[in-house]
Structures are given as structure tokens and as C-alpha cells.
Amino acid sequence: MKKVVMLLPLAAFLATGAAYAEGGKELTDKYRCTSCHKLDKKTIGPSYQDIAKKYAKDADAPAQMAERIKKGSRGVWGGAPMPAQSSASDEDIKAMVDYVMSLKK
Ligand code: HEC
């Protein structure tokens, strides 16, 4: 019985959490973020894993990241600038930020 009680919340987490992060991942394809960001390698922009790692302990980071995606960003990572991703809605940006932050270890 104890096992069932422990497994239930895990199943619920996997069902909702993973599906949500998956939505964010698909959105990064839809908005072509993937042309500048790869999962685990720096290309034109920093990798999603590096971003998640840099901000893993920063509670303000998701809001700041969303702002930078929306308005563009330069100088934070020391390489190329990111143009404003003005076609993405706030809701989609939030889902993509959640996806990126879900990659921290
Ligand atoms: C034309 C290339 C390009 C595209 C397209 C692009 N990015 Fe970026 N992105 C960059 C670069 C370059 C940086 C680093 C900017 C800097 O140093 O300030 C960056 C930085 C970021 C960061 C880190 C911001 C921070 O707070 O440090 C996030 C998160 C991010 N991008 C997500 C996205 C998402 C999501 C999309 C798609 C909607 C996207 N990017 C599209 C090039 C791009």
C-alpha cells in the first residue's frame, strides 16, 4: 500500500510536468529558436543546458529570460546578440522558459 501512495504523485507529476515541458520544446522548433540554440552545445547562442545551469539558483531568472526573449538581448553571454523574438506570445515564451529551466540537473 505504501508503494502505491508514493507512486501516485510521481505519476501525476510525469503526466503534467513532462507534457508541459514537451510543449515548450515543440515551441522552440516552431519559433526557430533551434537555429541559434542547441540542447547541449553552444552554437550562435548558448545551449539550453548552459542557460539552465547558469540560472539554476536564480529565482528571478525566468522573468528576466522571458523579457530578453521578447525584447532581444546582447552582452549577457559575450557573443552574438539575440534579436527580439516578437512573434512569440507571452504564454508561449513562458512555456519555452519553463522548458529551458526544466533542463537543469
Ligand atoms: C538569431 C539567433 C537567435 C535566435 C533565433 C534565438 N536566440 Fe536566444 N539567444 C541568442 C544569443 C546570441 C543569446 C545570448 C545573448 C546575450 O549574450 O545577451 C541568446 C540568449 C537566450 C537566452 C538566455 C537569456 C538570458 O537571460 O541570459 C534564452 C533563454 C534564449 N536565448 C531563448 C531563446 C528562445 C526561446 C528563442 C526562440 C523564441 C530564441 N532564444 C531565439 C540567439 C538567438
Side-chain angles (χ1 to χ4, degrees):
M1 191 59 201
K2 211 173 176 187
K3 249 188 196 151
V4 176
V5 172
M6 280 170 57
L7 282 174
L8 271 178
L10 179 66
F13 169 77
L14 288 176
T16 54
Y20 192 49
E22 192 57 35
K25 181 170 190 277
E26 280 150 13
L27 287 168
T28 63
D29 285 331
K30 176 177 163 192
Y31 290 113
R32 306 200 184 287
C33 319
T34 32
S35 60
C36 293
H37 295 284
K38 299 279 174 265
L39 177 66
D40 55 2
K41 276 207 302 279
K42 179 185 181 309
T43 50
I44 297 169
S47 76
Y48 292 139
Q49 285 180 349
D50 283 348
I51 296 170
K53 203 166 144 193
K54 178 178 166 95
Y55 297 116
K57 295 198 171 71
D58 184 346
D60 297 331
Q64 192 182 56
M65 280 161 64
E67 192 74 6
R68 286 175 180 156
I69 293 168
K70 203 179 166 74
K71 299 195 171 149
S73 175
R74 65 167 65 227
V76 181
W77 291 80
M82 172 163 64
Q85 305 297 308
S86 41
S87 63
S89 68
D90 288 354
E91 209 175 31
D92 285 356
I93 289 178
K94 187 180 181 309
M96 290 187 282
V97 167
D98 283 353
Y99 160 63
V100 172
M101 291 308 284
S102 77
L103 299 169
K104 71 185 174 201
K105 295 211 179 94

